[in-house]
Amino acid sequence: MEIKNYMEKLVMEKLDIVIKANRTTCNCERCRYDIAALALNSLPTRYVVTSSGATYSKIDSLDQQFHVDIVSAITQAINIVKKTPHH
């Protein structure tokens, strides 16, 4: 068994879409990971252990506000990384 933060998967799935929409965002690996880390720190965790737990989180993630919160967190993280990139 493994404990996994399902929110990490959701953020990584949305990251490319949000970065592409913000055309002036650096897409290097370091900036991408910095953006993801900042976004994840501002979002609630969704830990799962079993496949039934993963199914529960997937159902919860279908909520529209949930997606808005993820995109908002990524966008805020992009603005922070743009101001002080580590590359």
Side-chain angles (χ1 to χ4, degrees):
M1 281 196 206
E2 183 179 48
I3 295 176
K4 199 82 165 125
N5 181 2
Y6 188 68
M7 186 63 76
E8 183 177 343
K9 180 181 186 301
L10 296 174
V11 166
M12 296 311 283
E13 286 175 357
K14 295 268 185 223
L15 189 63
D16 286 332
I17 296 166
V18 180
I19 286 176
K20 284 179 185 174
N22 291 276
R23 295 182 181 166
T24 59
T25 303
C26 178
N27 198 23
C28 77
E29 184 177 27
R30 178 62 196 246
C31 286
R32 291 173 55 79
Y33 276 102
D34 284 347
I35 292 165
L38 285 167
L40 285 165
N41 283 332
S42 69
L43 292 165
T45 55
R46 296 282 190 254
Y47 289 107
V48 293
V49 175
T50 64
S51 60
S52 63
T55 302
Y56 176 78
S57 292
K58 285 180 186 175
I59 291 168
D60 189 30
S61 73
L62 296 176
D63 179 66
Q64 183 65 29
Q65 185 61 47
F66 201 67
H67 290 284
V68 170
D69 292 344
I70 292 170
V71 171
S72 176
I74 293 171
T75 302
Q76 289 174 8
I78 285 172
N79 291 332
I80 292 168
V81 171
K82 276 184 182 180
K83 290 178 185 174
T84 55
H86 290 125
H87 63 262

